[in-house]
Amino acid sequence: MDVESGRALLVNPRPSLHKYSWLAEFVGQIRNYRANSIETTRLAIEARAHLFRIAEREGIDFDLQRRGILHIYRGKAAFEQASKGNLLLREGGWNATR
């Protein structure tokens, strides 16, 4: 998200068939937001675990730190919206205590 403006998506208005077809697909997937968010979370968790397995198998030593991310919200409404998103992450298998 563009922190300065609060915009989540910035699109150059110059016409382009590729851009408009992408936008149409994007808008068409809005109805699948919940399922897509849960599946993306599952894929991210598995990808992370896979990379850790590779590092262990290959003996790659690095400064792994298992820390979370601090999010700061500028109001109750923003916090409540983020809390709804967290529910989807949990449904996808994310556990913040890992």
Side-chain angles (χ1 to χ4, degrees):
M1 175 180 277
D2 181 344
V3 176
E4 294 295 317
S5 68
R7 293 182 296 234
L9 180 63
L10 180 62
V11 178
N12 182 327
R14 185 179 312 164
S16 158
L17 179 60
H18 173 68
K19 184 187 314 174
Y20 291 134
S21 65
W22 180 89
L23 281 171
E25 186 176 345
F26 181 84
V27 169
Q29 286 298 316
I30 289 173
R31 68 181 176 270
N32 299 320
Y33 171 77
R34 182 179 181 281
N36 288 343
S37 296
I38 291 169
E39 186 59 24
T40 299
T41 301
R42 289 181 180 145
L43 288 170
I45 291 167
E46 183 52 38
R48 182 176 186 254
H50 181 68
L51 291 172
F52 290 157
R53 287 191 299 269
I54 291 172
E56 185 176 329
R57 182 183 71 227
E58 300 297 327
I60 301 170
D61 186 24
F62 57 99
D63 295 329
L64 172 63
Q65 295 185 14
R66 296 176 188 261
R67 296 184 184 180
I69 299 172
L70 174 64
H71 294 266
I72 298 172
Y73 302 98
R74 295 182 184 227
K76 186 177 179 179
F79 177 80
E80 288 174 352
Q81 185 64 36
S83 294
K84 291 177 186 176
N86 266 351
L87 293 175
L88 295 177
L89 295 176
R90 287 186 187 138
E91 283 189 57
W94 180 250
N95 177 351
T97 61
R98 292 182 205 210

